[in-house]
Amino acid sequence: MKKLMITLAAIVALGASHIAQAADYKVDIKGAHAFINFKANHLGYSWLTGRFNKFDGNFSYDAKNPEASKIVIDIDPASVDSNHAERDKHLRSADFLAVDKFPKSKFVSTKITDLGDNKLKVEGDFTLHGVTKPIVIDAVKIGEGKDPWNGYRAGFAGTTTINVADYDFKSAWVGEVQLELLIEGIKQ
Amino acid sequence: MIKNSDTSFGIVNIAIHWITALLVFGLFGVGLWMVDLSYYSEWYRTAPDLHKSFGLTLLALTLFRIIWKLINPSPKALSSNKLETMAGKLAHFAIYALLLTIMVSGYLISTADGRGIEWFWLFEVASLGEFVPNQEDIAGDIHEWAAYILIGLVVVHIIAALKHHFVDKDKTLVRMVKVQKEEHQD
């Protein structure tokens, strides 16, 4: 009986510690410690990179139970920035992102698998150009801990590859585009 | 006759008018065509480069034209209808305003990120930087719509010129083609 009580107490304590540690984080867009980059092949000869400057998101994460984590990221596709005004104008046009028609892009995780060694497989739905498709982001936790300003932060990096043809881009010839998400969150 | 008189356009004015007409039609046509070129078209880079170079040329020509207009007399309107004369003046003013709007907005698209515009691969016209956020999009919309309105106005301009020639049977159109000899009363 005593043994059972101890076991029960341990389970309750463990559960409580889970609840205590499962925290909600807000992506640090204010301090710009998060980045959403893309990379596309140019002519088969080189890489072109760019990023989305405006996005927001939050996630919950518990190092003891990573599979209970969740992440949502909202991206403003009109904020595309490839360091060339004429190209960005073209990327926002109907040939590519058609931002007038589809002003919102979003990633919502549906399942997170712990692969060990800080590696995570993040499955979710990605909405771009009005099309929602399941994607898998290969993510890794970079680290977490107290920051020097009385906060607590956790950071992740994730990569995935999409084919713009799957998202009905008019300029489907662009083909595959790599997305890189560098996400730092501040515990709420 | 190089300069204008009260009854005739000078050769400079006539030349500028027709060069402008040619450039406006050319730039409009190329503009419409080039935005739909495929990335792998050999014109994908060349057509916009030429469009910008000819556009800058027209901008310089138009600025000169405005100065020329200010230091020259304008031949008097041949219509006796005051309303028609007023409408003509208003339309001409609008054409000038639209030309400048289109060319300045075009410049602002290409120079929004600090890059200059190369003029016929000879020299670079510097960027003045970004004046408003998303300048390339705003300037792009203005450039496109002002161009459509200009072409609409040009159609009205042509119809009016033909009306002068065939209906009113006056020399409005002819004097934009040929320098008129001073009229003698005899």
Side-chain angles (χ1 to χ4, degrees):
Chain A
M1 187 66 193
K2 205 176 173 190
K3 211 173 174 185
L4 181 67
M5 286 298 283
I6 291 166
T7 314
L8 273 173
I11 289 167
V12 169
L14 201 70
S17 80
H18 263 165
I19 291 157
Q21 285 188 359
D24 290 324
Y25 291 81
K26 194 169 165 14
V27 176
D28 185 18
I29 51 161
K30 229 173 162 183
H33 292 113
F35 307 87
I36 297 176
N37 304 322
F38 63 86
K39 188 169 158 184
N41 198 287
H42 185 230
L43 304 171
Y45 305 147
S46 64
W47 291 108
L48 182 154
T49 72
R51 64 187 191 196
F52 292 96
N53 288 334
K54 278 190 201 151
F55 55 91
D56 202 354
N58 50 67
F59 59 87
S60 65
Y61 178 74
D62 173 5
K64 292 233 172 70
N65 186 14
E67 302 205 342
S69 302
K70 276 195 176 102
I71 179 163
V72 176
I73 302 281
D74 289 292
I75 304 168
D76 175 6
S79 70
V80 65
D81 180 359
S82 69
N83 192 26
H84 187 358
E86 286 183 344
R87 180 167 54 218
D88 296 342
K89 179 176 182 290
H90 196 191
L91 291 175
R92 283 189 283 267
S93 78
D95 282 351
F96 296 92
L97 293 161
V99 300
D100 287 343
K101 231 172 135 189
F102 308 110
K104 280 178 183 157
S105 177
K106 193 181 185 105
F107 176 75
V108 183
S109 70
T110 50
K111 190 184 172 205
I112 293 180
T113 314
D114 183 10
L115 303 177
D117 209 14
N118 283 332
K119 288 196 180 86
L120 300 162
K121 180 181 165 193
V122 182
E123 291 168 76
D125 295 320
F126 184 49
T127 305
L128 183 69
H129 195 256
V131 178
T132 303
K133 297 257 164 168
I135 60 167
V136 177
I137 299 175
D138 299 316
V140 56
K141 186 178 94 172
I142 311 292
E144 68 174 306
K146 282 181 188 156
D147 65 26
W149 317 287
N150 301 317
Y152 190 94
R153 292 169 187 252
F156 300 83
T159 53
T160 188
T161 302
I162 60 162
N163 192 321
V164 299
D166 294 338
Y167 293 85
D168 296 342
F169 275 42
K170 202 174 151 198
S171 293
W173 55 265
V174 169
E176 288 191 339
V177 174
Q178 295 178 23
L179 294 172
E180 180 188 40
L181 296 96
L182 305 174
I183 302 295
E184 177 178 306
I186 305 172
K187 199 190 253 186
Q188 297 300 293
Chain B
M1 201 168 73
I2 288 173
K3 293 190 82 177
N4 299 348
S5 72
D6 281 347
T7 51
S8 175
F9 284 109
I11 190 71
V12 173
N13 206 129
I14 292 174
I16 292 176
H17 174 268
W18 291 107
I19 293 169
T20 300
L22 206 69
L23 285 173
V24 165
F25 283 121
L27 285 164
F28 183 71
V30 169
L32 273 183
W33 168 71
M34 73 184 196
V35 294
D36 283 327
L37 283 175
S38 108
Y39 193 71
Y40 292 93
S41 159
E42 57 175 322
W43 286 101
Y44 185 85
R45 294 172 61 85
T46 327
D49 284 347
L50 288 171
H51 180 87
K52 291 176 213 169
S53 295
F54 278 112
L56 285 172
T57 309
L58 184 56
L59 177 59
L61 190 69
T62 305
L63 293 175
F64 172 77
R65 184 184 190 177
I66 290 167
I67 295 167
W68 190 252
K69 192 175 166 63
L70 293 174
I71 59 170
N72 267 268
S74 293
K76 291 199 166 52
L78 295 173
S79 169
S80 53
N81 185 327
K82 272 201 174 136
L83 199 73
E84 229 179 67
T85 308
M86 272 290 290
K89 278 198 171 145
L90 199 69
H92 291 154
F93 180 81
I95 288 174
Y96 280 107
L98 284 164
L99 278 173
L100 290 175
T101 303
I102 294 163
M103 293 182 288
V104 169
S105 60
Y107 167 84
L108 291 175
I109 301 171
S110 301
T111 57
D113 55 12
R115 285 178 174 83
I117 301 173
E118 208 155 327
W119 191 78
F120 291 111
W121 299 276
L122 292 175
F123 62 85
E124 194 179 276
V125 176
S127 162
L128 294 174
E130 192 180 35
F131 294 94
V132 286
N134 281 341
Q135 178 171 306
E136 62 275 18
D137 294 322
I138 298 163
D141 284 342
I142 293 171
H143 191 70
E144 186 179 1
W145 283 103
Y148 286 129
I149 297 167
L150 175 68
I151 293 301
L153 213 50
V154 164
V155 171
V156 174
H157 182 68
I158 293 168
I159 291 169
L162 294 174
K163 185 228 174 214
H164 275 287
H165 193 73
F166 292 108
V167 180
D168 302 336
K169 296 192 188 331
D170 64 27
K171 289 201 156 173
T172 302
L173 178 57
V174 175
R175 71 181 183 180
M176 193 43 100
V177 178
K178 205 167 149 242
V179 174
Q180 301 297 296
K181 292 215 170 67
E182 291 300 320
E183 279 173 32
H184 297 288
Q185 305 284 331
D186 50 12

